[in-house]
Amino acid sequence: MPFIVCKFGGSSLAAGDRFLRVRDIIRSDPSRRAIVVSAPGRRDAKDEKITDLLIRYFETGDEALWRAAETRFLEIGETIGADAAPLLQETREAILRKSSAAFAAGRGEYLSARLLARLLGFRFVDAMDCVRFTEGGTLDRAATRREMLHCLCGEPFVLPGFYGADAARRAFVFPRGGGDITGALVAANLGADVYENWTDVDGVYDRDPAVDPRARRQRRLTYDQMESLAAAGANVLHPDSLRPAREESIPVHVRSSFLPRASGTWIT
Ligand code: ASP
């Protein structure tokens, strides 16, 4: 059976009904056994991303920001039939105790992964245990590879994207949008047949479809072409996520969780 690593972005997990849609996508193909997730993103233009709420909560201590994040997760829990309240209380206490901006920023991914793992019946693996940063906060690729091979083989799992830790378990995060990098590292280190990157657009366009009606979806791109589009501002994939996939020649398939039958864009 082929082995597919899936990364679901924040818009794909922004609310409880979207978690259910993601569950259905994963269950529709038993090859999808390695799942990497973002924190819930915006449900609509007026909404805030959970990551932004958590960063501001850490910076200001404003409890209204925590309550806004909590309300989002309680709704997700309720929709998927899980009581998220104890997990939320534990998480808030951990944020206050650890007093680390990076730790707080990554808690949206942590909660997303805990809830999705419960919904799927997959095991949860904490990125603190397998995405390794140096003391200076840069990615340690060799140690990450070693830890991923140790922690991620075997049963299907859900792993939070975006954060990791150094050897002393101090949290670090990738740049914003960096859940894609975690997904690509998993795909490269575990030798996936495909790295599926699920987002809210049905593929990569040659220009921004939101502003230019002449934009056309690209069915296939080379890694080089995708790098040029990313450098020119196409933000569908984090630019740093291409390198690990490219080095191991792993095909990247950009797809929309809102249109799961659409053919998306293949980057090879
Ligand atoms: N949640 C993080 C962000 O909003 C990382 C990600 O979504 O990939 O930037």
Side-chain angles (χ1 to χ4, degrees):
M1 180 163 44
F3 177 57
I4 300 178
V5 172
C6 302
K7 148 78 183 15
F8 289 93
S11 50
S12 298
L13 294 163
D17 58 337
R18 301 192 191 179
F19 268 66
L20 297 176
R21 195 162 19 202
V22 163
R23 175 201 60 192
D24 294 343
I25 290 171
I26 294 166
R27 288 207 177 141
S28 68
D29 186 340
S31 312
R32 297 187 175 121
R33 301 194 304 279
I35 315 298
V36 177
V37 293
S38 281
R42 293 192 185 90
R43 291 161 296 185
D44 53 50
K46 298 187 297 288
D47 218 0
E48 281 206 76
K49 290 184 176 183
I50 291 289
T51 308
D52 292 318
L53 290 171
L54 291 170
I55 291 172
R56 281 176 38 228
Y57 173 54
F58 180 79
E59 286 169 354
T60 63
D62 179 353
E63 289 298 329
L65 295 165
W66 171 257
R67 280 196 301 279
E70 186 179 54
T71 306
R72 299 276 306 274
F73 279 111
L74 288 172
E75 182 278 323
I76 291 168
E78 208 168 293
T79 309
I80 70 171
D83 178 10
L87 190 57
L88 283 157
Q89 191 178 331
E90 243 171 65
T91 303
R92 180 173 166 276
E93 285 165 10
I95 291 174
L96 297 175
R97 196 173 53 242
K98 292 245 184 190
S99 194
S100 144
F103 180 83
R107 290 302 89 185
E109 270 72 11
Y110 171 82
L111 290 164
S112 231
R114 289 286 302 262
L115 291 172
L116 187 65
R118 211 182 288 182
L119 177 63
L120 291 165
F122 283 13
R123 75 192 161 106
F124 164 81
V125 180
D126 196 345
M128 289 285 220
D129 296 325
C130 64
V131 177
R132 197 50 76 234
F133 283 80
T134 64
E135 269 172 46
T138 52
L139 174 69
D140 182 338
R141 287 224 24 212
T144 298
R145 181 177 170 78
R146 210 170 41 240
E147 299 296 348
M148 283 188 170
L149 289 171
H150 178 69
C151 298
L152 301 181
C153 289
E155 294 298 299
F157 64 85
V158 182
L159 175 76
F162 186 44
Y163 71 87
D166 68 7
R169 290 188 73 77
R170 281 188 312 151
F172 287 96
V173 285
F174 290 119
R176 295 299 302 270
D180 290 343
I181 305 173
T182 310
L185 289 168
V186 173
N189 289 331
L190 301 191
D193 295 290
V194 182
Y195 172 34
E196 285 183 342
N197 196 293
W198 292 86
T199 173
D200 57 357
V201 284
D202 61 344
V204 182
Y205 283 72
D206 56 354
R207 55 196 99 184
D208 186 351
V211 296
D212 192 334
R214 289 168 307 167
R216 288 186 45 207
R217 183 171 61 81
Q218 309 295 295
R219 281 176 184 279
R220 278 192 178 275
L221 291 169
T222 62
Y223 296 114
D224 276 342
Q225 287 169 326
M226 184 64 226
E227 266 168 22
S228 310
L229 283 172
N235 62 4
V236 60
L237 259 189
H238 195 287
D240 294 349
S241 68
L242 275 177
R243 210 174 104 203
R246 175 181 201 146
E247 281 169 5
E248 301 293 326
S249 303
I250 304 207
V252 181
H253 193 186
V254 178
R255 313 184 61 168
S256 165
S257 65
F258 299 88
L259 292 166
R261 286 170 203 278
S263 54
T265 297
W266 283 95
I267 305 159
T268 52

